[in-house]
Amino acid sequence: MESIGVLMACPMNSYLEQQLENRFKLFRFWTVPDKSSFLASHKDSIQAVVGNAFAGADAKLIEALPKLEIVASFSVGLDKIDLAKCKEKGIRVTNTPDVLTEDVADLAIGLMLAVLRKLCESDRFVRSGKWKRGQYVLTTKIKGFLFPFVHFVSVPFLTSTIFQLFQFTGKRVGIIGLGRIGMAIATRAEAFSCPISYYSRTEKPEIKYKYYPSVVELAANCDILVVACALTTETHHIINREVINALGPKGVLINIGRGPHVDEPELVSALVEHRLGGAGLDVFEHEPEVPEELFGLDNVVLLPHVGSGTVETRQAMADLVIGNLEAHFLKKPLLTPVV
């Protein structure tokens, strides 16, 4: 298979890159200065494209590669691939489901804890030396009110720093999209005695959780709203001003889906104006650009799209990409077919 041309859309994973180079004729698209000329020169040799959550295969790229047979995504999401164009041209599409489910669900719970318990802010408090200089005051929510619980340090204090730390156990968790990842998040949240509810395109009769027929209703009836659905035309900006206002000043938004699920300017204004209680964000609308207004907020936790970012999971994802490519060119059944 060394003669089969594979176009890698952008830098993804060193293990994946090495495995592709060992098996195929690998082209690194991000290193090409003149992409149009490159595609014109190699259009008859490239038979596969490997993409991810940042770059895939749009209609323009697909049209430029007449010999393209398969697009393998190093991601579970497919929003960077023109699926309609692939179906039209008979191009196979694969992704990497299941292997990343547990890591993404773990991270969602981690974000909930980090936002509610102010883990990042508390870490900075210690690292900055403030703990040595002053009083450390915690506050907890009891029946809608905040009461201080004071922990004194053993040295004379000069200042007082107040953190509003909220309990996670028992919070109502609403999940948008109850697929593999959504279900894994629900199972974990249940271990914290959290009542679970959900929104999806259709109700799932076999699921015991409370179903709401709209995202607004779901937001109005939960403390933590988690975005775990696929990004489609219908789910673009599914988190808008109405949903944010329904979630309210005590609510927390967690996004481990895709950045464009959220109307980012509306989210920023809601957080700045305290119309939303907090947010844990692993994804952003224009990655790697992040609204600078978020940097100074202590009720927000920001991560650089690392939901599946463990060594073990990224290797398993890479193995799936390689396995799908090999299966296709050996005329065997694909491991994780989408199209």
Side-chain angles (χ1 to χ4, degrees), residues 145-179:
F145 296 95
L146 293 174
F147 292 89
F149 288 81
V150 182
H151 293 248
F152 295 99
V153 294
S154 59
V155 296
F157 57 84
L158 301 174
T159 60
S160 173
T161 300
I162 297 177
F163 291 91
Q164 293 185 8
L165 308 185
F166 297 102
Q167 188 179 61
F168 173 44
T169 296
K171 288 290 188 292
R172 299 170 301 163
V173 174
I175 302 173
I176 302 173
L178 210 61

Side-chain angles (χ1 to χ4, degrees), residues 205-265:
E206 72 280 8
I207 300 298
K208 62 183 178 180
Y209 307 131
K210 171 71 175 176
Y211 171 75
Y212 286 98
S214 75
V215 177
V216 173
E217 289 179 74
L218 178 66
N221 288 280
C222 67
D223 303 303
I224 303 169
L225 183 62
V226 184
V227 183
C229 57
L231 179 62
T232 65
T233 304
E234 292 74 24
T235 62
H236 182 267
H237 284 187
I238 196 169
I239 304 299
N240 53 29
R241 187 180 185 90
E242 186 181 10
V243 171
I244 291 169
N245 287 341
L247 188 55
K250 292 180 181 178
V252 171
L253 176 70
I254 303 294
N255 190 6
I256 47 80
R258 288 286 187 265
H261 279 131
V262 178
D263 185 332
E264 209 161 73

